[in-house]
Amino acid sequence: MAISSDINIKNKRASYEYHLLDKYVAGIRLLGTEIKSIREGKATINDSFCNFFDDGLYLRNMHIAEYSHGSFYNHEAKRDRQLLLTKKELKKLRLKGEEKGFTIVPLRIFISGRGFAKVEIALAQGKKDFDKRDTIKEREGKRELDRVLKR
């Protein structure tokens, strides 16, 4: 039985702030009330990032609102959550992430077909100011072209 879900929480600033190089899909180790809040769509990843600690890759600064029907078993809103990746992927990300100028950012959170919460992360390199201006110009040009074609 496949669970259909339209939960798709995006980090819209990531593509503006960074050049996205490699993308990965990782599972998240969550508590029971956290997954219920994500299914309600009450999570944000705009300011979050990934860091390596001794036992794995962690998603930091991700805000998941407390579950509305939770009691004293509710979770902390901003806690570190472990990402579940293969050893090969973790090794590759650790090597590239330690280089200067690279970081690991989350792009979106979604619910898989089996009902598990997944996060799409990317190895990214920060953009300079002139790169950001180019991005804005391309986006405005595309909008203008769409307006002309619509008429």
Side-chain angles (χ1 to χ4, degrees):
M1 180 175 101
I3 300 172
S4 64
S5 178
D6 57 348
I7 300 299
N8 194 8
I9 300 163
K10 294 181 181 178
N11 185 357
K12 295 178 183 178
R13 300 241 354 130
S15 62
Y16 176 73
E17 296 281 338
Y18 301 100
H19 292 290
L20 304 176
L21 305 175
D22 289 334
K23 293 182 182 179
Y24 299 92
V25 175
I28 314 171
R29 183 176 287 170
L30 297 172
L31 300 175
T33 54
E34 288 175 332
I35 187 65
K36 292 176 183 179
S37 289
I38 288 176
R39 286 188 179 135
E40 287 181 351
K42 297 182 178 177
T44 58
I45 56 171
N46 291 337
D47 299 328
S48 56
F49 58 96
C50 298
N51 255 353
F52 277 98
F53 291 114
D54 53 345
D55 58 343
L57 184 65
Y58 284 84
L59 184 59
R60 305 203 57 189
N61 209 18
M62 178 174 124
H63 183 273
I64 299 177
E66 289 188 355
Y67 183 55
S68 58
H69 301 297
S71 59
F72 56 91
Y73 291 114
N74 249 331
H75 60 276
E76 293 178 38
K78 285 193 176 188
R79 69 174 188 92
D80 297 344
R81 293 164 178 95
Q82 187 175 15
L83 297 180
L84 307 172
L85 290 163
T86 63
K87 287 183 182 181
K88 184 179 175 182
E89 291 172 333
L90 284 172
K91 185 178 178 181
K92 188 175 182 182
L93 281 171
R94 186 183 296 262
L95 290 175
K96 290 297 276 185
E98 289 175 353
E99 291 180 23
K100 187 175 181 189
F102 289 99
T103 187
I104 304 167
V105 294
L107 301 178
R108 67 185 183 112
I109 298 174
F110 61 97
I111 304 293
S112 70
R114 292 179 53 198
F116 296 120
K118 301 282 186 178
V119 63
E120 183 178 9
I121 60 174
L123 182 66
Q125 188 174 21
K127 285 185 180 178
K128 306 286 187 212
D129 285 339
F130 59 86
D131 290 333
K132 293 178 186 178
R133 286 192 294 269
D134 290 341
T135 304
I136 292 170
K137 285 180 187 176
E138 289 174 13
R139 185 174 55 214
E140 288 176 356
K142 184 181 176 196
R143 262 193 218 140
E144 191 63 35
L145 183 65
D146 287 343
R147 285 185 192 139
V148 170
L149 292 176
K150 195 173 184 179
R151 293 181 191 164

